[in-house]
Amino acid sequence: AQSVAQPEDQVNVAEGNPLTVKCTYSVSGNPYLFWYVQYPNRGLQFLLKYITGDNLVKGSYGFEAEFNKSQTSFHLKKPSALVSDSALYFCAGGNNNDMRFGAGTRLTVKP
Amino acid sequence: NAGVTQTPKFRILKIGQSMTLQCTQDMNHNYMYWYRQDPGMGLKLIYYSVGAGITDKGEVPNGYNVSRSTTEDFPLRLELAAPSQTSVYFCASTLFGAEQFFGPGTRLTVL
């Protein structure tokens, strides 16, 4: 069965420092991989995706993610965190008929 | 474009009652989904549809039913509400291979 794992429930970083939110996947075939962000009492919002092509994907709000096929990972990164980046982040992977979401990682950026 | 809209925003049901969660999208997306989000569990796919007249089960379909009579609408039906169905429900839509667009969610409590 396909699955996506986010090994960290919580990530804390100081404002201005780089951040990484980890994601690993077990998806058959060529994976479609996504990152979404969720703010309180809101639906998920798309950040970026990997379908094919360059392993480094750039997305909204300065976020980027690196697809690593050998490690089956798709970690989310940002060079300099903002307090406003504090939110719940979800990794997702699969295809249109079977998209699996990770359990989510709560990112807290402290001033 | 309104995007994906869901009604109601909140609902409290008694055990054994039934209700329909409404979902509408105005982006002419062929794929539509229903997810439930439980704390610390990420999103679980309940049902999905690849187009009008076509629906299929996701990971956790028991206790739910769907229909897709038009491209725009994808209602989710709970026939006999149970406490285990207390959750936040999200509807989403997409085109093939693209990111999903999520509605604002319906918070359902079954007492």
Side-chain angles (χ1 to χ4, degrees), chain A residues 2 26-27 36 61 63 66-68 74 86 94 96 99 110:
Chain A
Q2 302 190 127
S26 175
V27 173
Y36 293 87
Y61 313 118
F63 284 94
E66 186 168 9
F67 172 68
N68 187 316
F74 189 56
S86 298
N96 277 102
M99 187 64 61
K110 297 183 179 178

Side-chain angles (χ1 to χ4, degrees), chain A residues 34-82:
Chain A
F34 301 83
W35 275 101
Y36 293 87
V37 60
Q38 186 181 33
Y39 297 100
N41 301 313
R42 302 285 295 276
L44 277 68
Q45 298 175 34
F46 169 74
L47 277 179
L48 52 79
K49 66 182 176 185
Y50 173 85
I51 304 295
T52 185
D54 288 341
N55 290 341
L56 185 63
V57 178
K58 293 191 183 296
S60 307
Y61 313 118
F63 284 94
E64 57 189 29
E66 186 168 9
F67 172 68
N68 187 316
K69 189 171 184 177
S70 62
Q71 297 185 4
T72 61
S73 67
F74 189 56
H75 300 333
L76 181 70
K77 300 182 180 185
K78 187 172 183 181
S80 178
L82 300 172

Side-chain angles (χ1 to χ4, degrees), chain B residues 11 13 16-21 34 36 46 62-66 75-82 84-87 89 106 108-110:
Chain B
R11 184 73 185 267
L13 285 181
Q17 286 185 320
S18 61
M19 77 165 294
T20 299
L21 283 67
W34 274 105
R36 58 178 289 171
I46 304 171
N62 291 344
Y64 307 95
N65 277 300
V66 294
L76 177 72
R77 179 85 178 160
L78 282 70
E79 290 294 349
L80 290 170
S84 61
Q85 293 178 306
T86 294
S87 188
Y89 292 84
T106 295
L108 176 67
T109 302
V110 182

Side-chain angles (χ1 to χ4, degrees), chain B residues 22-111:
Chain B
Q22 302 291 345
C23 175
T24 300
Q25 54 93 7
D26 62 359
M27 297 172 283
N28 203 32
H29 287 168
N30 51 332
Y31 286 84
M32 293 189 74
Y33 307 85
W34 274 105
Y35 295 94
R36 58 178 289 171
Q37 182 180 26
D38 300 309
M41 299 294 290
L43 275 72
K44 300 292 186 184
L45 181 64
I46 304 171
Y47 271 95
Y48 69 98
S49 169
V50 302
I54 306 170
T55 62
D56 209 344
K57 295 178 180 179
E59 278 184 89
V60 291
N62 291 344
Y64 307 95
N65 277 300
V66 294
S67 60
R68 183 97 180 268
S69 57
T70 66
T71 299
E72 294 78 19
D73 300 307
F74 190 43
L76 177 72
R77 179 85 178 160
L78 282 70
E79 290 294 349
L80 290 170
S84 61
Q85 293 178 306
T86 294
S87 188
V88 180
Y89 292 84
F90 288 102
C91 179
S93 71
T94 188
L95 294 170
F96 182 81
E99 64 273 19
Q100 295 185 21
F101 290 78
F102 285 82
T106 295
R107 187 174 296 273
L108 176 67
T109 302
V110 182
L111 300 174

